[in-house]
Amino acid sequence: MPPSNPPSNPSRPAIGWGLIGASTIAAEHMLGAIRAQAGHDVVAVMSSNARRGREYAEKNAIASACGSLDELLQNPAVQAVYISTTNELHKAQVLAAAAAGKHVLCEKPLALTLADAREMVAACAGAGVVMATNHHLRNAATHRKIRELVAQGAIGKPLFARVFHAVYLPEHLQGWRLDRPEAGGGVILDITVHDVDTLRFVLGAEPVDVVGLAQSASLARQGLEDGVMAVLRFDNGVLAQIHDAFTVKHAGTGIEIHGATGSIIGRNVMTQRPVGELVLRNADGETPLVVEHENLYVRGVAAFCAALRGQGQPAASGADGVRSLAAALAVLQSCKTGQRIAIAP
């Protein structure tokens, strides 16, 4: 596993990246993932806090610290951007990047409304730039193995799924996610959106409706939720249970796919780290599955970079981001209304 932020490429890269947002995830995961790609480097970072931007650039060997979005987008050394600002800022930043001809890798959720997310995808398509959503979990070797086994019929017809992704939000992240509804805070837009994308990926199916209940137990404020349980129905008939939280310290994470002839059990797999175990259970007993782990972010960025060269598609496209957002917004609506909600196609 490469270091999170290896030194900057000393020669001018073939593809220069700009970071829109001097974020923790960029420092801990994305810098290293970008710099692991041959000919790619991060050459600029934008922060609304000029001092933070300068310190971030110096610490991470980034050549340019920009105080505005326009300054970063006007930099001819930047051909692609990674956006990891708070969620309400994504739309304007993606539209500006597309207009400037920059390729876009955007954090989830893409936006706070479906209309905005669709506009972002259309703008990138119209500008002829590649757009991707940073749904990292579908890059995990565990989830790719589950997808392969389900497609091969290893468990027969899929019937049920269960995702448990209840964790404790680290203190250094306990900011806008807990007290800023206008920024898209809350566990549903932060975690449930990932779970839905993971289920879409491993099942090869789309969610069609949902019912959910939310909780505000101890961390969330301003009407936001810090826990949720929901059941989604997919277009292949699978019923999927999701349990997400910011407030649970010792639950562990996992995913289960139950079919007519067997079950796949994943433990410690809903994580940013390349870890976790898989077991196949059927009439023959329980069989541990061999998984060759690799860095999720390096793999995801590699797929994005290949798409820039016209080789394949990003791991999660802009359209994937729209679909996962649609389901997350439906979960939110169900929690607020107490009704079963159809998920927008």
mmCIF file of all heavy atoms in Angstrom, residues 80-117:
data_model
loop_
_atom_site.group_PDB
_atom_site.id
_atom_site.type_symbol
_atom_site.label_atom_id
_atom_site.label_comp_id
_atom_site.label_asym_id
_atom_site.label_seq_id
_atom_site.Cartn_x
_atom_site.Cartn_y
_atom_site.Cartn_z
ATOM 1 N N ALA A 80 -7.281 18.327 -14.557
ATOM 2 C CA ALA A 80 -8.332 17.576 -13.864
ATOM 3 C C ALA A 80 -8.452 18.112 -12.446
ATOM 4 O O ALA A 80 -7.474 18.613 -11.869
ATOM 5 C CB ALA A 80 -8.002 16.084 -13.833
ATOM 6 N N VAL A 81 -9.659 18.003 -11.889
ATOM 7 C CA VAL A 81 -9.872 18.477 -10.522
ATOM 8 C C VAL A 81 -10.512 17.378 -9.678
ATOM 9 O O VAL A 81 -11.289 16.551 -10.180
ATOM 10 C CB VAL A 81 -10.757 19.742 -10.466
ATOM 11 C CG1 VAL A 81 -10.088 20.896 -11.183
ATOM 12 C CG2 VAL A 81 -12.152 19.473 -11.040
ATOM 13 N N TYR A 82 -10.156 17.377 -8.413
ATOM 14 C CA TYR A 82 -10.801 16.526 -7.422
ATOM 15 C C TYR A 82 -11.518 17.449 -6.450
ATOM 16 O O TYR A 82 -10.896 18.314 -5.824
ATOM 17 C CB TYR A 82 -9.784 15.655 -6.686
ATOM 18 C CG TYR A 82 -10.354 14.992 -5.448
ATOM 19 C CD1 TYR A 82 -11.399 14.080 -5.559
ATOM 20 C CD2 TYR A 82 -9.866 15.293 -4.189
ATOM 21 C CE1 TYR A 82 -11.939 13.487 -4.422
ATOM 22 C CE2 TYR A 82 -10.395 14.699 -3.057
ATOM 23 C CZ TYR A 82 -11.431 13.791 -3.178
ATOM 24 O OH TYR A 82 -11.965 13.218 -2.054
ATOM 25 N N ILE A 83 -12.836 17.274 -6.312
ATOM 26 C CA ILE A 83 -13.662 18.165 -5.508
ATOM 27 C C ILE A 83 -14.070 17.466 -4.222
ATOM 28 O O ILE A 83 -14.731 16.421 -4.256
ATOM 29 C CB ILE A 83 -14.914 18.603 -6.300
ATOM 30 C CG1 ILE A 83 -14.488 19.378 -7.549
ATOM 31 C CG2 ILE A 83 -15.846 19.432 -5.420
ATOM 32 C CD1 ILE A 83 -15.637 19.736 -8.475
ATOM 33 N N SER A 84 -13.676 18.030 -3.085
ATOM 34 C CA SER A 84 -14.014 17.434 -1.786
ATOM 35 C C SER A 84 -14.430 18.508 -0.790
ATOM 36 O O SER A 84 -14.128 18.419 0.397
ATOM 37 C CB SER A 84 -12.840 16.622 -1.239
ATOM 38 O OG SER A 84 -11.684 17.444 -1.074
ATOM 39 N N THR A 85 -15.100 19.531 -1.281
ATOM 40 C CA THR A 85 -15.654 20.566 -0.418
ATOM 41 C C THR A 85 -16.957 20.062 0.197
ATOM 42 O O THR A 85 -17.389 18.936 -0.065
ATOM 43 C CB THR A 85 -15.932 21.832 -1.242
ATOM 44 O OG1 THR A 85 -16.678 21.445 -2.421
ATOM 45 C CG2 THR A 85 -14.647 22.510 -1.678
ATOM 46 N N THR A 86 -17.607 20.894 1.013
ATOM 47 C CA THR A 86 -18.894 20.501 1.573
ATOM 48 C C THR A 86 -19.915 20.389 0.440
ATOM 49 O O THR A 86 -19.798 21.022 -0.610
ATOM 50 C CB THR A 86 -19.355 21.495 2.640
ATOM 51 O OG1 THR A 86 -19.274 22.826 2.125
ATOM 52 C CG2 THR A 86 -18.494 21.386 3.884
ATOM 53 N N ASN A 87 -20.935 19.581 0.677
ATOM 54 C CA ASN A 87 -21.788 19.107 -0.408
ATOM 55 C C ASN A 87 -22.539 20.201 -1.153
ATOM 56 O O ASN A 87 -22.792 20.073 -2.357
ATOM 57 C CB ASN A 87 -22.792 18.093 0.159
ATOM 58 C CG ASN A 87 -22.103 16.910 0.804
ATOM 59 O OD1 ASN A 87 -21.052 16.484 0.358
ATOM 60 N ND2 ASN A 87 -22.695 16.375 1.865
ATOM 61 N N GLU A 88 -22.896 21.277 -0.459
ATOM 62 C CA GLU A 88 -23.686 22.312 -1.119
ATOM 63 C C GLU A 88 -22.868 23.108 -2.135
ATOM 64 O O GLU A 88 -23.430 23.832 -2.962
ATOM 65 C CB GLU A 88 -24.308 23.252 -0.074
ATOM 66 C CG GLU A 88 -23.416 24.385 0.402
ATOM 67 C CD GLU A 88 -22.332 23.980 1.398
ATOM 68 O OE1 GLU A 88 -22.110 22.765 1.590
ATOM 69 O OE2 GLU A 88 -21.701 24.877 1.985
ATOM 70 N N LEU A 89 -21.555 22.954 -2.105
ATOM 71 C CA LEU A 89 -20.682 23.678 -3.025
ATOM 72 C C LEU A 89 -20.383 22.905 -4.309
ATOM 73 O O LEU A 89 -19.877 23.476 -5.281
ATOM 74 C CB LEU A 89 -19.362 24.024 -2.328
ATOM 75 C CG LEU A 89 -19.458 24.869 -1.057
ATOM 76 C CD1 LEU A 89 -18.080 25.047 -0.431
ATOM 77 C CD2 LEU A 89 -20.090 26.221 -1.358
ATOM 78 N N HIS A 90 -20.679 21.620 -4.315
ATOM 79 C CA HIS A 90 -20.272 20.775 -5.438
ATOM 80 C C HIS A 90 -20.812 21.255 -6.775
ATOM 81 O O HIS A 90 -20.096 21.282 -7.774
ATOM 82 C CB HIS A 90 -20.719 19.328 -5.207
ATOM 83 C CG HIS A 90 -20.000 18.631 -4.098
ATOM 84 N ND1 HIS A 90 -20.321 17.352 -3.686
ATOM 85 C CD2 HIS A 90 -18.979 19.034 -3.300
ATOM 86 C CE1 HIS A 90 -19.534 16.994 -2.694
ATOM 87 N NE2 HIS A 90 -18.709 18.003 -2.443
ATOM 88 N N LYS A 91 -22.109 21.605 -6.817
ATOM 89 C CA LYS A 91 -22.713 21.926 -8.107
ATOM 90 C C LYS A 91 -21.987 23.077 -8.805
ATOM 91 O O LYS A 91 -21.556 22.937 -9.960
ATOM 92 C CB LYS A 91 -24.186 22.283 -7.934
ATOM 93 C CG LYS A 91 -24.844 22.704 -9.252
ATOM 94 C CD LYS A 91 -26.228 23.277 -9.072
ATOM 95 C CE LYS A 91 -26.795 23.780 -10.391
ATOM 96 N NZ LYS A 91 -28.123 24.408 -10.238
ATOM 97 N N ALA A 92 -21.857 24.191 -8.125
ATOM 98 C CA ALA A 92 -21.232 25.354 -8.756
ATOM 99 C C ALA A 92 -19.797 25.049 -9.163
ATOM 100 O O ALA A 92 -19.332 25.493 -10.231
ATOM 101 C CB ALA A 92 -21.276 26.556 -7.811
ATOM 102 N N GLN A 93 -19.087 24.276 -8.354
ATOM 103 C CA GLN A 93 -17.693 23.971 -8.651
ATOM 104 C C GLN A 93 -17.563 23.022 -9.840
ATOM 105 O O GLN A 93 -16.680 23.191 -10.691
ATOM 106 C CB GLN A 93 -17.022 23.402 -7.400
ATOM 107 C CG GLN A 93 -16.885 24.456 -6.307
ATOM 108 C CD GLN A 93 -16.533 23.890 -4.955
ATOM 109 O OE1 GLN A 93 -16.673 22.684 -4.703
ATOM 110 N NE2 GLN A 93 -16.083 24.739 -4.045
ATOM 111 N N VAL A 94 -18.452 22.042 -9.943
ATOM 112 C CA VAL A 94 -18.422 21.138 -11.090
ATOM 113 C C VAL A 94 -18.789 21.886 -12.365
ATOM 114 O O VAL A 94 -18.135 21.715 -13.413
ATOM 115 C CB VAL A 94 -19.372 19.945 -10.871
ATOM 116 C CG1 VAL A 94 -19.575 19.167 -12.171
ATOM 117 C CG2 VAL A 94 -18.827 19.019 -9.796
ATOM 118 N N LEU A 95 -19.806 22.726 -12.309
ATOM 119 C CA LEU A 95 -20.192 23.482 -13.504
ATOM 120 C C LEU A 95 -19.057 24.389 -13.972
ATOM 121 O O LEU A 95 -18.789 24.504 -15.171
ATOM 122 C CB LEU A 95 -21.446 24.306 -13.222
ATOM 123 C CG LEU A 95 -22.733 23.532 -12.913
ATOM 124 C CD1 LEU A 95 -23.898 24.491 -12.730
ATOM 125 C CD2 LEU A 95 -23.043 22.522 -14.013
ATOM 126 N N ALA A 96 -18.372 25.030 -13.028
ATOM 127 C CA ALA A 96 -17.258 25.901 -13.388
ATOM 128 C C ALA A 96 -16.106 25.102 -13.978
ATOM 129 O O ALA A 96 -15.472 25.525 -14.963
ATOM 130 C CB ALA A 96 -16.799 26.686 -12.161
ATOM 131 N N ALA A 97 -15.821 23.947 -13.396
ATOM 132 C CA ALA A 97 -14.731 23.108 -13.904
ATOM 133 C C ALA A 97 -15.050 22.627 -15.319
ATOM 134 O O ALA A 97 -14.187 22.632 -16.199
ATOM 135 C CB ALA A 97 -14.499 21.926 -12.969
ATOM 136 N N ALA A 98 -16.287 22.205 -15.551
ATOM 137 C CA ALA A 98 -16.677 21.750 -16.883
ATOM 138 C C ALA A 98 -16.541 22.879 -17.895
ATOM 139 O O ALA A 98 -16.024 22.680 -19.009
ATOM 140 C CB ALA A 98 -18.108 21.220 -16.856
ATOM 141 N N ALA A 99 -16.988 24.072 -17.512
ATOM 142 C CA ALA A 99 -16.898 25.221 -18.415
ATOM 143 C C ALA A 99 -15.450 25.562 -18.743
ATOM 144 O O ALA A 99 -15.155 26.074 -19.829
ATOM 145 C CB ALA A 99 -17.602 26.423 -17.796
ATOM 146 N N ALA A 100 -14.544 25.264 -17.804
ATOM 147 C CA ALA A 100 -13.123 25.527 -18.019
ATOM 148 C C ALA A 100 -12.422 24.371 -18.724
ATOM 149 O O ALA A 100 -11.208 24.422 -18.951
ATOM 150 C CB ALA A 100 -12.439 25.803 -16.683
ATOM 151 N N GLY A 101 -13.173 23.305 -19.057
ATOM 152 C CA GLY A 101 -12.587 22.177 -19.767
ATOM 153 C C GLY A 101 -11.782 21.232 -18.906
ATOM 154 O O GLY A 101 -10.927 20.500 -19.417
ATOM 155 N N LYS A 102 -12.051 21.222 -17.605
ATOM 156 C CA LYS A 102 -11.312 20.347 -16.688
ATOM 157 C C LYS A 102 -12.110 19.067 -16.426
ATOM 158 O O LYS A 102 -13.328 19.107 -16.225
ATOM 159 C CB LYS A 102 -11.065 21.055 -15.352
ATOM 160 C CG LYS A 102 -10.537 22.485 -15.457
ATOM 161 C CD LYS A 102 -9.168 22.572 -16.122
ATOM 162 C CE LYS A 102 -8.660 24.027 -16.089
ATOM 163 N NZ LYS A 102 -7.349 24.184 -16.751
ATOM 164 N N HIS A 103 -11.425 17.948 -16.404
ATOM 165 C CA HIS A 103 -12.046 16.688 -16.031
ATOM 166 C C HIS A 103 -12.356 16.713 -14.533
ATOM 167 O O HIS A 103 -11.645 17.361 -13.752
ATOM 168 C CB HIS A 103 -11.129 15.520 -16.376
ATOM 169 C CG HIS A 103 -10.758 15.468 -17.831
ATOM 170 N ND1 HIS A 103 -11.671 15.123 -18.806
ATOM 171 C CD2 HIS A 103 -9.588 15.739 -18.460
ATOM 172 C CE1 HIS A 103 -11.066 15.159 -19.993
ATOM 173 N NE2 HIS A 103 -9.812 15.540 -19.810
ATOM 174 N N VAL A 104 -13.404 15.992 -14.118
ATOM 175 C CA VAL A 104 -13.931 16.140 -12.772
ATOM 176 C C VAL A 104 -14.080 14.798 -12.075
ATOM 177 O O VAL A 104 -14.769 13.891 -12.566
ATOM 178 C CB VAL A 104 -15.317 16.828 -12.793
ATOM 179 C CG1 VAL A 104 -15.903 16.889 -11.390
ATOM 180 C CG2 VAL A 104 -15.209 18.226 -13.395
ATOM 181 N N LEU A 105 -13.448 14.683 -10.905
ATOM 182 C CA LEU A 105 -13.708 13.594 -9.962
ATOM 183 C C LEU A 105 -14.286 14.248 -8.718
ATOM 184 O O LEU A 105 -13.592 15.017 -8.036
ATOM 185 C CB LEU A 105 -12.422 12.839 -9.637
ATOM 186 C CG LEU A 105 -12.505 11.726 -8.586
ATOM 187 C CD1 LEU A 105 -13.571 10.699 -8.945
ATOM 188 C CD2 LEU A 105 -11.145 11.060 -8.404
ATOM 189 N N CYS A 106 -15.555 13.974 -8.429
ATOM 190 C CA CYS A 106 -16.269 14.684 -7.370
ATOM 191 C C CYS A 106 -16.648 13.729 -6.246
ATOM 192 O O CYS A 106 -17.062 12.590 -6.497
ATOM 193 C CB CYS A 106 -17.529 15.348 -7.933
ATOM 194 S SG CYS A 106 -18.422 16.382 -6.757
ATOM 195 N N GLU A 107 -16.541 14.220 -5.030
ATOM 196 C CA GLU A 107 -16.977 13.430 -3.888
ATOM 197 C C GLU A 107 -18.489 13.256 -3.905
ATOM 198 O O GLU A 107 -19.222 14.031 -4.505
ATOM 199 C CB GLU A 107 -16.539 14.087 -2.574
ATOM 200 C CG GLU A 107 -15.197 13.623 -2.067
ATOM 201 C CD GLU A 107 -15.117 12.110 -1.866
ATOM 202 O OE1 GLU A 107 -16.143 11.489 -1.485
ATOM 203 O OE2 GLU A 107 -14.030 11.557 -2.095
ATOM 204 N N LYS A 108 -18.936 12.232 -3.202
ATOM 205 C CA LYS A 108 -20.368 12.004 -3.027
ATOM 206 C C LYS A 108 -20.832 12.756 -1.772
ATOM 207 O O LYS A 108 -20.007 13.063 -0.915
ATOM 208 C CB LYS A 108 -20.670 10.516 -2.918
ATOM 209 C CG LYS A 108 -19.867 9.801 -1.803
ATOM 210 C CD LYS A 108 -20.419 10.050 -0.421
ATOM 211 C CE LYS A 108 -19.342 10.177 0.609
ATOM 212 N NZ LYS A 108 -19.860 10.743 1.864
ATOM 213 N N PRO A 109 -22.120 13.036 -1.652
ATOM 214 C CA PRO A 109 -23.094 13.027 -2.732
ATOM 215 C C PRO A 109 -22.782 14.147 -3.721
ATOM 216 O O PRO A 109 -22.239 15.178 -3.328
ATOM 217 C CB PRO A 109 -24.420 13.275 -2.009
ATOM 218 C CG PRO A 109 -24.039 14.100 -0.817
ATOM 219 C CD PRO A 109 -22.704 13.568 -0.394
ATOM 220 N N LEU A 110 -23.136 13.940 -4.967
ATOM 221 C CA LEU A 110 -22.812 14.942 -5.973
ATOM 222 C C LEU A 110 -23.416 16.298 -5.642
ATOM 223 O O LEU A 110 -22.800 17.333 -5.890
ATOM 224 C CB LEU A 110 -23.315 14.493 -7.356
ATOM 225 C CG LEU A 110 -22.579 13.321 -8.010
ATOM 226 C CD1 LEU A 110 -23.164 13.052 -9.385
ATOM 227 C CD2 LEU A 110 -21.084 13.597 -8.100
ATOM 228 N N ALA A 111 -24.623 16.302 -5.111
ATOM 229 C CA ALA A 111 -25.328 17.557 -4.838
ATOM 230 C C ALA A 111 -26.388 17.294 -3.777
ATOM 231 O O ALA A 111 -26.465 16.194 -3.218
ATOM 232 C CB ALA A 111 -25.962 18.091 -6.122
ATOM 233 N N LEU A 112 -27.199 18.298 -3.517
ATOM 234 C CA LEU A 112 -28.262 18.163 -2.514
ATOM 235 C C LEU A 112 -29.613 17.887 -3.150
ATOM 236 O O LEU A 112 -30.566 17.553 -2.441
ATOM 237 C CB LEU A 112 -28.335 19.415 -1.647
ATOM 238 C CG LEU A 112 -27.053 19.765 -0.881
ATOM 239 C CD1 LEU A 112 -27.306 20.936 0.056
ATOM 240 C CD2 LEU A 112 -26.531 18.564 -0.108
ATOM 241 N N THR A 113 -29.725 18.038 -4.471
ATOM 242 C CA THR A 113 -30.960 17.709 -5.176
ATOM 243 C C THR A 113 -30.625 16.907 -6.426
ATOM 244 O O THR A 113 -29.523 17.032 -6.985
ATOM 245 C CB THR A 113 -31.751 18.961 -5.593
ATOM 246 O OG1 THR A 113 -31.057 19.629 -6.658
ATOM 247 C CG2 THR A 113 -31.937 19.918 -4.417
ATOM 248 N N LEU A 114 -31.585 16.120 -6.877
ATOM 249 C CA LEU A 114 -31.388 15.354 -8.104
ATOM 250 C C LEU A 114 -31.253 16.259 -9.320
ATOM 251 O O LEU A 114 -30.447 15.996 -10.213
ATOM 252 C CB LEU A 114 -32.563 14.402 -8.308
ATOM 253 C CG LEU A 114 -32.477 13.036 -7.636
ATOM 254 C CD1 LEU A 114 -33.706 12.210 -7.975
ATOM 255 C CD2 LEU A 114 -31.212 12.305 -8.034
ATOM 256 N N ALA A 115 -32.035 17.326 -9.345
ATOM 257 C CA ALA A 115 -31.966 18.246 -10.490
ATOM 258 C C ALA A 115 -30.560 18.817 -10.623
ATOM 259 O O ALA A 115 -30.017 18.910 -11.738
ATOM 260 C CB ALA A 115 -32.989 19.364 -10.328
ATOM 261 N N ASP A 116 -29.956 19.198 -9.505
ATOM 262 C CA ASP A 116 -28.600 19.736 -9.546
ATOM 263 C C ASP A 116 -27.597 18.683 -10.013
ATOM 264 O O ASP A 116 -26.710 18.967 -10.836
ATOM 265 C CB ASP A 116 -28.195 20.262 -8.168
ATOM 266 C CG ASP A 116 -28.839 21.590 -7.834
ATOM 267 O OD1 ASP A 116 -29.496 22.184 -8.713
ATOM 268 O OD2 ASP A 116 -28.695 22.046 -6.673
ATOM 269 N N ALA A 117 -27.714 17.471 -9.494
ATOM 270 C CA ALA A 117 -26.782 16.414 -9.873
ATOM 271 C C ALA A 117 -26.885 16.102 -11.360
ATOM 272 O O ALA A 117 -25.872 15.919 -12.052
ATOM 273 C CB ALA A 117 -27.054 15.162 -9.041
#
